[in-house]
Amino acid sequence: MIMNSGVRSVVSFLALGCGIVSPFAWASPLKTIGDARAASWPFGPLVTSGRDMKNAEGGTVVYAGTNWPGHGEVMIPDGLHYQSIEDVVTKIKSTGMNAIRLTYAIQMIDEIYSKDGQDTTVRESFTKALGQTNGPRVYQQFLAKNPSFDDSTTRLQVFDAVAAECAKQEIYVHLDNHMSKAAWCCSTGDGNSWFGDTYYNVDNWTRGLSYMANHGKNWTALTSMSLRNELRKPDDNPSLSSQSYNWRDWYTNIKKGTSAINTANPDLLIFLSGLDFDTYITPVIQGTAFTPGSAKYNAADFPNYANKLVLEIHNYQNSANNCNSLKSSLYSSGFQALHAEDSETVNVFPVLLTEFGFDMSGNAWRGTYATCIASYLAEQKAGWFIWVVSGSYYIRSGRQDYEETWGLLKHDWSDWRSSAYIEGGLKPLVEATAQG
């Protein structure tokens, strides 16, 4: 197992199906890995067929999982100073969830390129993010919980280890580019909002997507990637907002991003997110013009990989008090794409709700929003990732050891924040949806 204290060499990860690759190594795909994926879990590569994601055996795959953030300033998955990778993945698996949405920042890849292919060590990253006093202290806690790591361990090697443990426990990994500049997400003034924003260099973004898609070739559990989390109006840049924040420029850049991923790793499904914090992606589904231009979605614009595209939306209508209205909103915002029988559905895709969530410290899970989302996902047999597994963050919005009351886990990641929700809400939702 990946956290065996007696195992300290990078080679150990290879034995677990992770395959640590030199950060700048652009190796061709290994045929044996591809064959193994097809012959055993995850029975990949996955493709789409109409409204469904399918594995190589023709079986339907439905993700039912949770978000695990790794896009903050430390640039490794959160919580590992409190619990080991194995412990966190085991907790996720114990609910029946079969997938994680693992987030990262493009800044990590930018820094690798700026250092001639060398990734930053976790030790350095903790100190840079948390300071000269707290950084080393939290880093020592990280080592104590994850004794297979040492002072030479890099950030990407932590991601590798998470992917390896997920493979061991048969948890799909969906890799999500959450931000360009590593930080808490999101606001319309954070400089990460839109293509060409302060920190959102498009060339660096596509380079980062390519890099992570290639790096993940040896992650047995990696079956999909997203292009970008919660595209939104760049209010910090009025000129960019007025001239470029539209569906026309969305489509131009989406084609760049999908090409970057597919060229680097053609096995992966690619998730497309919409506008306004990814709350709707309707023009793709209804085949309307990407205004102010006239182009429409065309599968031919994604040569030989249109069957790799999946749609995703987010929903945080937590104040909803009418379930029928909420379901109608979910349908019109994205889930219409599951319904070929609807005469207004021009393009059929799988659709996932990759973010939704609520405060776990009370009884919100019994309210209209939470119960309605759960019933709708079950009715649609649709995939989902709840926000969030994290009981706390290394740092969020400048505050260290930030308490996350929306987290499935307690502050120290030791147990569920609401066992009542896990037993009465989450597990039934998993049972009603998860496949593959």
Side-chain angles (χ1 to χ4, degrees):
M1 68 183 183
I2 198 71
M3 292 295 106
N4 188 320
S5 61
V7 180
R8 304 190 71 88
S9 73
V10 170
V11 177
S12 66
F13 294 121
L14 290 166
L16 295 174
C18 173
I20 301 295
V21 182
S22 172
F24 253 42
W26 288 82
S28 60
L30 301 176
K31 184 175 186 296
T32 54
I33 290 175
D35 291 345
R37 284 176 174 160
S40 59
W41 187 92
F43 304 103
L46 306 186
V47 297
T48 68
S49 177
R51 55 151 285 152
D52 295 318
M53 293 161 38
K54 297 285 188 178
N55 62 27
E57 295 187 325
T60 299
V61 174
V62 179
Y63 292 164
T66 187
N67 284 269
W68 190 349
H71 63 274
E73 288 89 338
V74 180
M75 287 179 265
I76 64 169
D78 273 298
L80 298 180
H81 60 319
Y82 282 128
Q83 303 295 328
S84 71
I85 291 171
E86 181 185 16
D87 285 344
V88 176
V89 176
T90 298
K91 286 183 176 68
I92 292 169
K93 183 71 173 182
S94 72
T95 66
M97 287 189 286
N98 67 359
I100 61 167
R101 182 174 182 248
L102 184 63
T103 73
Y104 71 97
I106 293 295
Q107 181 182 339
M108 179 172 65
I109 298 93
D110 289 345
E111 291 177 356
I112 291 171
Y113 274 92
S114 72
K115 295 173 67 175
D116 296 324
Q118 297 302 309
D119 190 13
T120 300
T121 65
V122 176
R123 180 181 183 180
E124 293 175 274
S125 195
F126 268 114
T127 298
K128 183 176 180 180
L130 305 184
Q132 293 292 333
T133 300
N134 289 342
R137 177 181 59 80
V138 177
Y139 171 66
Q140 289 302 319
Q141 295 173 347
F142 163 83
L143 289 181
K145 291 295 182 181
N146 299 273
S148 67
F149 296 137
D150 58 28
D151 287 353
S152 69
T153 301
T154 65
R155 298 171 300 188
L156 269 176
Q157 287 175 349
V158 179
F159 278 88
D160 293 335
V162 169
E165 187 61 35
C166 285
K168 177 183 174 184
Q169 300 202 38
E170 298 189 354
I171 299 284
Y172 297 104
V173 173
H174 171 72
L175 193 57
D176 172 73
N177 173 223
H178 221 67
M179 296 278 274
S180 287
K181 180 180 174 64
W184 173 251
C185 181
C186 303
S187 78
T188 58
D190 61 13
N192 287 269
S193 301
W194 188 251
F195 313 103
D197 203 356
T198 306
Y199 305 113
Y200 197 167
N201 179 290
V202 173
D203 289 339
N204 287 21
W205 170 64
T206 55
R207 180 180 70 177
L209 293 175
S210 295
Y211 185 93
M212 292 304 287
N214 181 76
H215 184 84
K217 281 177 180 174
N218 294 324
W219 292 4
T220 299
L222 181 65
T223 46
S224 57
M225 286 180 64
S226 74
L227 293 180
R228 185 68 167 204
N229 179 67
E230 295 193 351
L231 293 164
R232 52 201 179 274
K233 190 176 181 181
D235 286 338
D236 62 318
N237 191 328
S239 177
L240 180 68
S241 179
S242 63
Q243 296 175 18
S244 178
Y245 183 68
N246 54 55
W247 283 104
R248 177 198 62 203
D249 285 15
W250 175 88
Y251 196 51
T252 296
N253 288 290
I254 288 303
K255 288 184 286 186
K256 294 178 182 177
T258 56
S259 178
I261 292 175
N262 183 259
T263 299
N265 189 343
D267 284 353
L268 299 176
L269 296 179
I270 305 171
F271 284 34
L272 314 184
S273 62
L275 268 59
D276 291 352
F277 293 86
D278 190 23
T279 53
Y280 77 107
I281 196 163
T282 314
V284 177
I285 302 160
Q286 296 186 351
T288 56
F290 292 125
T291 56
S294 58
K296 301 176 182 179
Y297 172 80
N298 186 345
D301 290 332
F302 307 89
N304 301 317
Y305 65 96
N307 68 338
K308 292 288 189 177
L309 305 182
V310 177
L311 305 186
E312 62 170 309
I313 62 169
H314 295 176
N315 186 283
Y316 287 109
Q317 293 176 265
N318 296 71
S319 61
N321 55 24
N322 184 297
C323 186
N324 287 334
S325 294
L326 178 55
K327 288 182 177 181
S328 177
S329 175
L330 289 164
Y331 186 88
S332 62
S333 297
F335 283 95
Q336 179 185 347
L338 298 178
H339 294 273
E341 75 280 3
D342 186 333
S343 62
E344 295 186 359
T345 303
V346 175
N347 298 302
V348 176
F349 294 88
V351 185
L352 282 81
L353 188 64
T354 53
E355 281 191 31
F356 71 100
F358 41 87
D359 194 322
M360 294 288 168
S361 61
N363 289 313
W365 70 274
R366 299 182 186 273
T368 300
Y369 170 77
T371 56
C372 188
I373 290 280
S375 66
Y376 188 73
L377 291 170
E379 291 165 7
Q380 301 296 315
K381 300 296 183 185
W384 52 273
F385 293 96
I386 192 169
W387 188 272
V388 59
V389 72
S390 310
S392 56
Y393 304 100
Y394 302 124
I395 183 171
R396 169 176 161 179
S397 303
R399 187 189 306 173
Q400 297 185 24
D401 200 27
Y402 189 103
E403 173 86 2
E404 176 56 274
T405 60
W406 286 39
L408 292 174
L409 292 170
K410 294 179 178 178
H411 185 98
D412 66 357
W413 294 59
S414 63
D415 202 356
W416 304 116
R417 189 175 294 267
S418 172
S419 57
Y421 171 63
I422 297 299
E423 297 300 326
L426 185 71
K427 286 184 177 180
L429 175 57
V430 171
E431 292 170 3
T433 52
Q435 293 187 58

mmCIF file of all heavy atoms in Angstrom, residues 177-207:
data_model
loop_
_atom_site.group_PDB
_atom_site.id
_atom_site.type_symbol
_atom_site.label_atom_id
_atom_site.label_comp_id
_atom_site.label_asym_id
_atom_site.label_seq_id
_atom_site.Cartn_x
_atom_site.Cartn_y
_atom_site.Cartn_z
ATOM 1 N N ASN A 177 -8.947 21.251 -13.872
ATOM 2 C CA ASN A 177 -8.210 22.511 -13.778
ATOM 3 C C ASN A 177 -9.117 23.563 -13.150
ATOM 4 O O ASN A 177 -10.040 24.057 -13.772
ATOM 5 C CB ASN A 177 -7.724 22.988 -15.143
ATOM 6 C CG ASN A 177 -7.115 24.370 -15.062
ATOM 7 O OD1 ASN A 177 -7.368 25.218 -15.909
ATOM 8 N ND2 ASN A 177 -6.341 24.632 -14.026
ATOM 9 N N HIS A 178 -8.825 23.889 -11.914
ATOM 10 C CA HIS A 178 -9.703 24.769 -11.141
ATOM 11 C C HIS A 178 -9.345 26.242 -11.305
ATOM 12 O O HIS A 178 -10.228 27.091 -11.389
ATOM 13 C CB HIS A 178 -9.616 24.377 -9.666
ATOM 14 C CG HIS A 178 -10.925 24.392 -8.957
ATOM 15 N ND1 HIS A 178 -11.949 23.516 -9.233
ATOM 16 C CD2 HIS A 178 -11.388 25.188 -7.961
ATOM 17 C CE1 HIS A 178 -12.982 23.773 -8.441
ATOM 18 N NE2 HIS A 178 -12.665 24.782 -7.663
ATOM 19 N N MET A 179 -8.055 26.534 -11.316
ATOM 20 C CA MET A 179 -7.566 27.914 -11.388
ATOM 21 C C MET A 179 -6.280 27.944 -12.199
ATOM 22 O O MET A 179 -5.620 26.907 -12.389
ATOM 23 C CB MET A 179 -7.283 28.461 -9.977
ATOM 24 C CG MET A 179 -8.495 28.583 -9.081
ATOM 25 S SD MET A 179 -9.434 30.089 -9.400
ATOM 26 C CE MET A 179 -8.545 31.264 -8.347
ATOM 27 N N SER A 180 -5.882 29.156 -12.623
ATOM 28 C CA SER A 180 -4.531 29.344 -13.155
ATOM 29 C C SER A 180 -3.607 29.679 -11.989
ATOM 30 O O SER A 180 -2.707 28.914 -11.667
ATOM 31 C CB SER A 180 -4.519 30.447 -14.211
ATOM 32 O OG SER A 180 -5.130 30.004 -15.397
ATOM 33 N N LYS A 181 -3.811 30.801 -11.335
ATOM 34 C CA LYS A 181 -3.053 31.165 -10.141
ATOM 35 C C LYS A 181 -3.631 30.397 -8.958
ATOM 36 O O LYS A 181 -4.832 30.456 -8.690
ATOM 37 C CB LYS A 181 -3.142 32.665 -9.887
ATOM 38 C CG LYS A 181 -2.381 33.149 -8.659
ATOM 39 C CD LYS A 181 -2.542 34.646 -8.488
ATOM 40 C CE LYS A 181 -1.926 35.149 -7.191
ATOM 41 N NZ LYS A 181 -0.462 34.950 -7.154
ATOM 42 N N ALA A 182 -2.793 29.664 -8.248
ATOM 43 C CA ALA A 182 -3.250 28.850 -7.133
ATOM 44 C C ALA A 182 -3.860 29.722 -6.037
ATOM 45 O O ALA A 182 -3.204 30.614 -5.509
ATOM 46 C CB ALA A 182 -2.089 28.043 -6.570
ATOM 47 N N ALA A 183 -5.123 29.454 -5.716
ATOM 48 C CA ALA A 183 -5.845 30.233 -4.704
ATOM 49 C C ALA A 183 -7.237 29.652 -4.578
ATOM 50 O O ALA A 183 -7.667 28.813 -5.375
ATOM 51 C CB ALA A 183 -5.922 31.706 -5.097
ATOM 52 N N TRP A 184 -7.960 30.129 -3.573
ATOM 53 C CA TRP A 184 -9.363 29.768 -3.423
ATOM 54 C C TRP A 184 -10.150 30.296 -4.616
ATOM 55 O O TRP A 184 -9.882 31.369 -5.140
ATOM 56 C CB TRP A 184 -9.926 30.341 -2.124
ATOM 57 C CG TRP A 184 -11.401 30.150 -1.980
ATOM 58 C CD1 TRP A 184 -12.372 31.115 -2.053
ATOM 59 C CD2 TRP A 184 -12.097 28.913 -1.741
ATOM 60 N NE1 TRP A 184 -13.617 30.556 -1.879
ATOM 61 C CE2 TRP A 184 -13.481 29.198 -1.680
ATOM 62 C CE3 TRP A 184 -11.679 27.594 -1.576
ATOM 63 C CZ2 TRP A 184 -14.442 28.222 -1.462
ATOM 64 C CZ3 TRP A 184 -12.640 26.623 -1.356
ATOM 65 C CH2 TRP A 184 -14.000 26.937 -1.306
ATOM 66 N N CYS A 185 -11.132 29.538 -5.028
ATOM 67 C CA CYS A 185 -11.969 29.897 -6.172
ATOM 68 C C CYS A 185 -13.419 30.020 -5.724
ATOM 69 O O CYS A 185 -13.882 29.197 -4.941
ATOM 70 C CB CYS A 185 -11.842 28.810 -7.235
ATOM 71 S SG CYS A 185 -12.782 29.068 -8.744
ATOM 72 N N CYS A 186 -14.183 30.967 -6.110
ATOM 73 C CA CYS A 186 -13.926 31.832 -7.250
ATOM 74 C C CYS A 186 -14.596 33.183 -7.021
ATOM 75 O O CYS A 186 -15.569 33.286 -6.268
ATOM 76 C CB CYS A 186 -14.513 31.261 -8.532
ATOM 77 S SG CYS A 186 -13.970 29.619 -8.995
ATOM 78 N N SER A 187 -14.149 34.191 -7.749
ATOM 79 C CA SER A 187 -14.859 35.465 -7.820
ATOM 80 C C SER A 187 -14.621 36.057 -9.200
ATOM 81 O O SER A 187 -13.686 35.651 -9.900
ATOM 82 C CB SER A 187 -14.375 36.437 -6.735
ATOM 83 O OG SER A 187 -13.139 37.023 -7.082
ATOM 84 N N THR A 188 -15.440 37.000 -9.557
ATOM 85 C CA THR A 188 -15.302 37.617 -10.880
ATOM 86 C C THR A 188 -14.154 38.619 -10.924
ATOM 87 O O THR A 188 -13.838 39.135 -12.004
ATOM 88 C CB THR A 188 -16.601 38.340 -11.286
ATOM 89 O OG1 THR A 188 -16.924 39.330 -10.288
ATOM 90 C CG2 THR A 188 -17.754 37.357 -11.411
ATOM 91 N N GLY A 189 -13.522 38.883 -9.792
ATOM 92 C CA GLY A 189 -12.419 39.836 -9.760
ATOM 93 C C GLY A 189 -11.099 39.211 -9.393
ATOM 94 O O GLY A 189 -10.152 39.926 -9.039
ATOM 95 N N ASP A 190 -10.973 37.880 -9.500
ATOM 96 C CA ASP A 190 -9.749 37.218 -9.026
ATOM 97 C C ASP A 190 -8.678 37.061 -10.097
ATOM 98 O O ASP A 190 -7.611 36.500 -9.845
ATOM 99 C CB ASP A 190 -10.069 35.864 -8.403
ATOM 100 C CG ASP A 190 -10.725 34.866 -9.373
ATOM 101 O OD1 ASP A 190 -10.715 35.119 -10.599
ATOM 102 O OD2 ASP A 190 -11.247 33.838 -8.895
ATOM 103 N N GLY A 191 -8.943 37.555 -11.299
ATOM 104 C CA GLY A 191 -7.950 37.473 -12.366
ATOM 105 C C GLY A 191 -7.824 36.116 -13.019
ATOM 106 O O GLY A 191 -7.005 35.920 -13.917
ATOM 107 N N ASN A 192 -8.652 35.169 -12.615
ATOM 108 C CA ASN A 192 -8.652 33.803 -13.172
ATOM 109 C C ASN A 192 -9.942 33.489 -13.924
ATOM 110 O O ASN A 192 -10.209 32.344 -14.219
ATOM 111 C CB ASN A 192 -8.512 32.783 -12.035
ATOM 112 C CG ASN A 192 -7.126 32.727 -11.437
ATOM 113 O OD1 ASN A 192 -6.268 31.962 -11.858
ATOM 114 N ND2 ASN A 192 -6.896 33.553 -10.424
ATOM 115 N N SER A 193 -10.742 34.505 -14.186
ATOM 116 C CA SER A 193 -12.135 34.287 -14.577
ATOM 117 C C SER A 193 -12.333 33.808 -16.000
ATOM 118 O O SER A 193 -13.189 32.957 -16.257
ATOM 119 C CB SER A 193 -12.932 35.582 -14.379
ATOM 120 O OG SER A 193 -12.891 36.009 -13.046
ATOM 121 N N TRP A 194 -11.581 34.370 -16.933
ATOM 122 C CA TRP A 194 -11.881 34.183 -18.352
ATOM 123 C C TRP A 194 -10.598 34.155 -19.169
ATOM 124 O O TRP A 194 -9.571 34.683 -18.755
ATOM 125 C CB TRP A 194 -12.793 35.325 -18.824
ATOM 126 C CG TRP A 194 -13.343 35.176 -20.203
ATOM 127 C CD1 TRP A 194 -12.996 35.900 -21.312
ATOM 128 C CD2 TRP A 194 -14.344 34.244 -20.652
ATOM 129 N NE1 TRP A 194 -13.706 35.483 -22.409
ATOM 130 C CE2 TRP A 194 -14.557 34.461 -22.033
ATOM 131 C CE3 TRP A 194 -15.085 33.262 -20.013
ATOM 132 C CZ2 TRP A 194 -15.468 33.726 -22.783
ATOM 133 C CZ3 TRP A 194 -15.991 32.518 -20.752
ATOM 134 C CH2 TRP A 194 -16.182 32.753 -22.118
ATOM 135 N N PHE A 195 -10.665 33.540 -20.312
ATOM 136 C CA PHE A 195 -9.544 33.451 -21.230
ATOM 137 C C PHE A 195 -8.921 34.832 -21.463
ATOM 138 O O PHE A 195 -9.600 35.737 -21.943
ATOM 139 C CB PHE A 195 -9.999 32.867 -22.563
ATOM 140 C CG PHE A 195 -10.856 31.638 -22.435
ATOM 141 C CD1 PHE A 195 -12.233 31.707 -22.602
ATOM 142 C CD2 PHE A 195 -10.280 30.413 -22.124
ATOM 143 C CE1 PHE A 195 -13.029 30.570 -22.485
ATOM 144 C CE2 PHE A 195 -11.071 29.278 -22.006
ATOM 145 C CZ PHE A 195 -12.442 29.357 -22.185
ATOM 146 N N GLY A 196 -7.654 34.976 -21.116
ATOM 147 C CA GLY A 196 -6.970 36.240 -21.283
ATOM 148 C C GLY A 196 -7.021 37.149 -20.073
ATOM 149 O O GLY A 196 -6.490 38.271 -20.114
ATOM 150 N N ASP A 197 -7.641 36.694 -18.986
ATOM 151 C CA ASP A 197 -7.686 37.476 -17.761
ATOM 152 C C ASP A 197 -6.268 37.596 -17.172
ATOM 153 O O ASP A 197 -5.327 36.976 -17.653
ATOM 154 C CB ASP A 197 -8.644 36.818 -16.766
ATOM 155 C CG ASP A 197 -9.204 37.783 -15.727
ATOM 156 O OD1 ASP A 197 -8.791 38.956 -15.721
ATOM 157 O OD2 ASP A 197 -10.050 37.357 -14.919
ATOM 158 N N THR A 198 -6.134 38.356 -16.106
ATOM 159 C CA THR A 198 -4.825 38.700 -15.540
ATOM 160 C C THR A 198 -3.903 37.493 -15.402
ATOM 161 O O THR A 198 -2.729 37.535 -15.793
ATOM 162 C CB THR A 198 -5.001 39.375 -14.174
ATOM 163 O OG1 THR A 198 -5.891 40.482 -14.306
ATOM 164 C CG2 THR A 198 -3.663 39.859 -13.630
ATOM 165 N N TYR A 199 -4.399 36.417 -14.829
ATOM 166 C CA TYR A 199 -3.588 35.224 -14.613
ATOM 167 C C TYR A 199 -3.921 34.094 -15.586
ATOM 168 O O TYR A 199 -3.287 33.040 -15.542
ATOM 169 C CB TYR A 199 -3.766 34.722 -13.182
ATOM 170 C CG TYR A 199 -3.464 35.761 -12.135
ATOM 171 C CD1 TYR A 199 -4.473 36.278 -11.324
ATOM 172 C CD2 TYR A 199 -2.173 36.248 -11.972
ATOM 173 C CE1 TYR A 199 -4.196 37.253 -10.370
ATOM 174 C CE2 TYR A 199 -1.885 37.223 -11.027
ATOM 175 C CZ TYR A 199 -2.902 37.718 -10.222
ATOM 176 O OH TYR A 199 -2.637 38.680 -9.288
ATOM 177 N N TYR A 200 -4.912 34.325 -16.444
ATOM 178 C CA TYR A 200 -5.421 33.260 -17.308
ATOM 179 C C TYR A 200 -4.846 33.399 -18.712
ATOM 180 O O TYR A 200 -5.541 33.764 -19.656
ATOM 181 C CB TYR A 200 -6.951 33.310 -17.323
ATOM 182 C CG TYR A 200 -7.648 32.067 -17.835
ATOM 183 C CD1 TYR A 200 -9.014 31.891 -17.638
ATOM 184 C CD2 TYR A 200 -6.977 31.073 -18.529
ATOM 185 C CE1 TYR A 200 -9.684 30.776 -18.099
ATOM 186 C CE2 TYR A 200 -7.622 29.954 -19.003
ATOM 187 C CZ TYR A 200 -8.975 29.816 -18.783
ATOM 188 O OH TYR A 200 -9.639 28.702 -19.255
ATOM 189 N N ASN A 201 -3.550 33.097 -18.823
ATOM 190 C CA ASN A 201 -2.880 33.096 -20.114
ATOM 191 C C ASN A 201 -3.305 31.835 -20.874
ATOM 192 O O ASN A 201 -3.086 30.715 -20.395
ATOM 193 C CB ASN A 201 -1.364 33.119 -19.897
ATOM 194 C CG ASN A 201 -0.577 33.098 -21.190
ATOM 195 O OD1 ASN A 201 -0.544 32.082 -21.888
ATOM 196 N ND2 ASN A 201 0.049 34.210 -21.506
ATOM 197 N N VAL A 202 -3.878 32.014 -22.044
ATOM 198 C CA VAL A 202 -4.448 30.877 -22.772
ATOM 199 C C VAL A 202 -3.372 29.885 -23.203
ATOM 200 O O VAL A 202 -3.574 28.667 -23.138
ATOM 201 C CB VAL A 202 -5.285 31.366 -23.981
ATOM 202 C CG1 VAL A 202 -5.726 30.187 -24.847
ATOM 203 C CG2 VAL A 202 -6.495 32.153 -23.499
ATOM 204 N N ASP A 203 -2.229 30.385 -23.641
ATOM 205 C CA ASP A 203 -1.157 29.477 -24.054
ATOM 206 C C ASP A 203 -0.658 28.649 -22.868
ATOM 207 O O ASP A 203 -0.392 27.447 -23.006
ATOM 208 C CB ASP A 203 -0.007 30.266 -24.669
ATOM 209 C CG ASP A 203 -0.344 30.856 -26.034
ATOM 210 O OD1 ASP A 203 -1.287 30.346 -26.675
ATOM 211 O OD2 ASP A 203 0.324 31.816 -26.452
ATOM 212 N N ASN A 204 -0.515 29.286 -21.722
ATOM 213 C CA ASN A 204 -0.087 28.545 -20.530
ATOM 214 C C ASN A 204 -1.146 27.536 -20.100
ATOM 215 O O ASN A 204 -0.820 26.435 -19.625
ATOM 216 C CB ASN A 204 0.194 29.514 -19.380
ATOM 217 C CG ASN A 204 1.479 30.294 -19.577
ATOM 218 O OD1 ASN A 204 1.977 30.424 -20.689
ATOM 219 N ND2 ASN A 204 2.028 30.833 -18.504
ATOM 220 N N TRP A 205 -2.387 27.916 -20.266
ATOM 221 C CA TRP A 205 -3.499 27.013 -19.918
ATOM 222 C C TRP A 205 -3.469 25.758 -20.775
ATOM 223 O O TRP A 205 -3.523 24.633 -20.252
ATOM 224 C CB TRP A 205 -4.819 27.760 -20.081
ATOM 225 C CG TRP A 205 -6.054 26.952 -20.001
ATOM 226 C CD1 TRP A 205 -6.523 26.261 -18.931
ATOM 227 C CD2 TRP A 205 -7.015 26.771 -21.052
ATOM 228 N NE1 TRP A 205 -7.729 25.655 -19.239
ATOM 229 C CE2 TRP A 205 -8.046 25.951 -20.526
ATOM 230 C CE3 TRP A 205 -7.123 27.225 -22.359
ATOM 231 C CZ2 TRP A 205 -9.160 25.569 -21.296
ATOM 232 C CZ3 TRP A 205 -8.226 26.853 -23.119
ATOM 233 C CH2 TRP A 205 -9.225 26.038 -22.582
ATOM 234 N N THR A 206 -3.384 25.926 -22.101
ATOM 235 C CA THR A 206 -3.368 24.745 -22.971
ATOM 236 C C THR A 206 -2.100 23.926 -22.750
ATOM 237 O O THR A 206 -2.140 22.692 -22.795
ATOM 238 C CB THR A 206 -3.497 25.138 -24.458
ATOM 239 O OG1 THR A 206 -2.476 26.081 -24.804
ATOM 240 C CG2 THR A 206 -4.860 25.753 -24.734
ATOM 241 N N ARG A 207 -0.989 24.606 -22.470
ATOM 242 C CA ARG A 207 0.244 23.880 -22.146
ATOM 243 C C ARG A 207 0.065 23.065 -20.863
ATOM 244 O O ARG A 207 0.498 21.910 -20.783
ATOM 245 C CB ARG A 207 1.394 24.877 -21.978
ATOM 246 C CG ARG A 207 2.727 24.232 -21.645
ATOM 247 C CD ARG A 207 3.824 25.267 -21.485
ATOM 248 N NE ARG A 207 3.658 26.076 -20.265
ATOM 249 C CZ ARG A 207 4.522 27.002 -19.867
ATOM 250 N NH1 ARG A 207 5.609 27.262 -20.602
ATOM 251 N NH2 ARG A 207 4.307 27.690 -18.758
#
